[in-house]
Structure formats: C-alpha cells, structure tokens
Amino acid sequence: MRISIDFDGTMWSHMGFFREFMRAMQSAGHQVGVLTGHSASTAEADIRLMIARGFPRPDFYLGRTTEYLPFNGAKFKLDMIRLHGIDYHFDDFDYDNPETTRLFDEVADIRHRIIKVRWREPHSTHYE
C-alpha cells in the first residue's frame, strides 16, 4: 500500500500516533510518505524536522508546486492521490475548511481513500 499523511492539523496534531503508525506500516513493507500543502521547496527542512522528532524517513514527499498555488490545496492533494496511486491519505481537511470538505467529498472515486483526522487547538502547537 501507499499511504500519505498531511502535516499541519494531522501529523503535527497527533505525532505519537503517526510516528508509530509510520514505523509499523513501513516495517510491514508499505510505503508511507507526506502529502502536504507545504511548498515542494521545503521538503528537506520538513523531513529534517520529522527525523528530529523521531519519525522515520518518509518514503516520499509530495509538496505543493507553484502551478497549484491559485487553487484550494485539496485540488493538489486529489491530483497527487490519483497520480501516485495513494491508497489512503490522512488529512484534517484544512482545519475543516468547507471548500476543502466539498472538494474531497465531490470526488467519488477518491473520497473513500481520504481519512479525516480531527485537528487540535491551537493550530500552532504540535502535540504528542
């Protein structure tokens, strides 16, 4: 399986769970990576932060590219789920953004692959 995890509101809201989840899935032979609205140019810095926090190195990193900047981040994520054959994606729906929710819900062939994660307040805090 190919599994992706969003950063803000998802991985950073539940670090203990996603750290262990990544380890377990990778040790079982699955590919686990990051699918985020962060810029593709921040990949190495984001991965260094993950490793500093005890996460295993992700198998892939899909960061938002410039052509997607005019659009809601869900468009980028939906396209990447299709393009990269991601089986399951964990996401907070941009902190329950109604437009993101609508976009994810509209796509019948993908919506069952997106697992909604409940984010925590305040957004700026990263939680174990």
Side-chain angles (χ1 to χ4, degrees), residues 91-101 116-119:
D91 203 288
D92 67 305
F93 291 41
D94 296 328
Y95 305 107
D96 288 328
N97 177 317
E99 178 68 5
T100 300
T101 300
K116 188 172 185 180
V117 174
R118 181 71 182 133
W119 46 274

Side-chain angles (χ1 to χ4, degrees), residues 12-88:
W12 296 147
S13 283
H14 306 279
M15 291 192 296
F17 171 78
F18 283 112
R19 185 181 302 115
E20 294 308 314
F21 179 77
M22 284 184 72
R23 286 185 188 133
M25 293 295 102
Q26 287 176 328
S27 69
H30 303 292
Q31 291 186 335
V32 183
V34 174
L35 174 54
T36 181
H38 289 196
S39 170
S41 66
T42 66
E44 283 308 311
D46 285 342
I47 292 169
R48 279 195 305 275
L49 179 58
M50 285 178 69
I51 291 169
R53 291 180 168 175
F55 285 87
R57 178 170 285 282
D59 295 305
F60 58 89
Y61 181 102
L62 302 169
R64 197 167 172 180
T65 53
T66 55
E67 66 267 22
Y68 284 95
L69 292 179
F71 306 104
N72 179 290
K75 176 169 176 28
F76 167 72
K77 291 176 180 178
L78 288 165
D79 286 352
M80 294 304 103
I81 290 168
R82 273 197 191 102
L83 182 65
H84 293 277
I86 293 171
D87 297 293
Y88 294 102

